[in-house]
Amino acid sequence: MSERRKTSARRQHARVTISDVAREAGVSPMTVSRVINAEVAVRDATREKVEKAIAELGYSPNKAARSLASARQMQIGLLYANPSSTYLSAMLLGVLERARQSDAQVVVVESGFGKDAVAAVRGMLMSGVDGVLLTPPLTGYRPVLEILHDSGVQTVTLGAQHVESEISTVSIDDHRAAMEMTRHLLDLGHERIGFIVGNNNQLASRLRLAGFREAMRLAGVDVDESLVVRGDFSYRSGLKAADLLLRLEQRPTAIFASNDDMAAAVVATAHRFHIEVPEALTVVGYDDTLLATTIWPELTTIRQPIADMSRAAIELLETNIRIDRAGEPVKARHLTRAYKLVRRESSAPPR
């Protein structure tokens, strides 16, 4: 080979990026990053394809940069403003488990909404975190999302957010899950169904309400707007909503609450009104947190794998940080986890 051709080949290899390797191997850049960093969560066949692509393209990561980057412990900021303690517990379980495995440091910051959230995220950025995990209801709060996007810090949201965003997400299909739960109630024979909406600032709330309305429309059942009441995902808001619904002259035969905290509050209110659940009132929830099986009767609910989603969100965030440290472009990914309708003792046909 002539000296000119050798020089050209070296230049060609120097231009090879992690994205080129991903295209050659037919995988994502994140998978290539996992192989390069010797992570265990890669199938052998996939690892072999990536290693073959690296060899054929002559890709050579900057070892000095990788060494310096890997030597520095990742610091991840977790910002939350969720009133549900059961959701928070499940979420933290997954986050801390994954962080312990990867030796990442997690800084947990609680905030309110509005200006408080903006101040909290700015303070987090000033502290020098490598990445941020946003949890509901902040996942749909545009001012915070815009600050994080403009800052360039790697960010992942846990739960639904605007999918056109350039920020990665891990969520379930809230619209489809709410439709399935509503169909379950309709199949039992309920038509007069109450619905308790969650935090209006949260996209998941709107998706669940839309799923409820869509299932009712497809079944040819009109939604009585007096049975759609506002909550904010807290137990206390569930108490207020249930009180409104159960005082109606024509009360619903079933109530679908947008999370388990509010559903548990409905059950408690029904007990106070001497209304038997599920004999005289069906109550269903959403999330399948620990609360769903610690009340009586146990809740029929949508199982959202919160701990698993949290682990996946931290892993995705760590991978994005590594890609960013290597000087490669990071593309947003929107991962969807499976949900499950869990039938328990709180739902039954109407009398």
Side-chain angles (χ1 to χ4, degrees):
M1 182 183 289
S2 67
E3 189 63 27
R4 179 178 295 178
R5 290 181 64 187
K6 289 179 180 178
T7 302
S8 175
R10 283 196 297 270
R11 286 176 178 170
Q12 184 177 13
H13 286 173
R15 290 196 296 270
V16 175
T17 69
I18 198 170
S19 298
D20 297 325
V21 175
R23 280 192 296 272
E24 180 69 17
V27 299
S28 70
M30 292 181 187
T31 300
V32 177
S33 177
R34 290 185 182 124
V35 172
I36 292 170
N37 288 283
E39 293 186 22
V40 296
V42 181
R43 295 178 180 176
D44 291 341
T46 302
R47 189 182 301 278
E48 289 174 6
K49 285 197 300 184
V50 171
E51 289 173 345
K52 181 181 178 182
I54 288 173
E56 289 179 351
L57 295 176
Y59 176 68
S60 179
N62 186 323
K63 293 183 179 179
R66 281 182 56 208
S67 177
L68 287 171
S70 61
R72 182 165 62 87
Q73 183 184 47
M74 288 186 191
Q75 187 177 71
I76 294 172
L78 190 161
L79 188 62
Y80 79 95
N82 197 306
S84 171
S85 59
T86 51
Y87 180 95
L88 179 63
S89 297
M91 182 266 293
L92 285 175
L93 179 67
V95 167
L96 298 177
E97 181 180 295
R98 172 61 195 178
R100 184 171 59 251
Q101 292 171 349
S102 58
D103 193 34
Q105 181 183 11
V106 178
V107 179
V108 181
V109 176
E110 180 184 11
S111 80
F113 212 70
K115 293 181 179 179
D116 190 24
V118 169
V121 76
R122 283 178 174 159
M124 189 176 281
L125 293 174
M126 288 181 65
S127 72
V129 295
D130 299 297
V132 174
L133 175 62
L134 274 185
T135 63
L138 298 174
T139 52
Y141 188 46
R142 286 192 181 276
V144 166
L145 291 171
E146 288 170 1
I147 290 171
L148 290 168
H149 178 261
D150 293 344
S151 74
V153 72
Q154 295 305 312
T155 304
V156 173
T157 69
L158 184 63
Q161 57 119 324
H162 303 279
V163 295
E164 72 273 13
S165 169
E166 297 179 27
I167 293 177
S168 295
T169 64
V170 179
S171 65
I172 66 169
D173 189 335
D174 284 289
H175 184 274
R176 184 177 176 183
M179 284 187 67
E180 186 171 336
M181 179 60 84
T182 306
R183 283 197 298 268
H184 168 63
L185 297 175
L186 291 165
D187 290 344
L188 287 174
H190 295 281
E191 292 190 353
R192 191 166 175 77
I193 304 172
F195 189 88
I196 304 179
V197 188
N199 189 321
N200 195 44
N201 293 311
Q202 194 169 330
L203 180 58
S205 298
R206 301 195 290 277
L207 289 172
R208 293 171 195 180
L209 176 58
F212 165 73
R213 291 188 183 280
E214 180 71 2
M216 295 286 278
R217 183 187 69 79
L218 291 175
V221 179
D222 292 334
V223 175
D224 184 338
E225 295 302 326
S226 70
L227 302 184
V228 179
V229 296
R230 182 70 54 190
D232 63 10
F233 287 128
S234 69
Y235 184 88
R236 184 174 294 277
S237 74
L239 291 175
K240 293 180 179 178
D243 191 77
L244 286 172
L245 290 171
L246 298 182
R247 286 185 185 278
L248 292 173
E249 185 175 343
Q250 285 188 296
R251 67 179 185 235
T253 62
I255 296 177
F256 180 2
S258 292
N259 77 340
D260 291 340
D261 287 53
M262 295 192 298
V266 174
V267 173
T269 303
H271 291 332
R272 180 164 60 86
F273 278 63
H274 303 290
I275 299 172
E276 295 183 348
V277 177
E279 290 82 3
L281 176 70
T282 279
V283 181
V284 298
Y286 202 106
D287 287 338
D288 197 27
T289 57
L290 182 62
L291 185 59
T293 54
T294 54
I295 65 169
W296 178 83
E298 294 185 357
L299 284 174
T300 293
T301 187
I302 293 292
R303 177 175 293 161
Q304 183 173 202
I306 299 169
D308 176 62
M309 290 165 61
S310 302
R311 282 189 291 268
I314 292 295
E315 183 177 0
L316 177 58
L317 185 54
E318 291 169 345
T319 302
N320 287 354
I321 291 170
R322 280 192 289 268
I323 293 174
D324 185 53
R325 285 178 175 179
E328 299 287 345
V330 178
K331 293 183 179 180
R333 295 186 66 194
H334 304 288
L335 308 182
T336 303
R337 288 293 186 261
Y339 67 86
K340 181 180 180 181
L341 194 160
V342 182
R343 301 181 185 185
R344 297 196 180 99
E345 292 82 4
S346 69
S347 59
R351 289 198 300 192

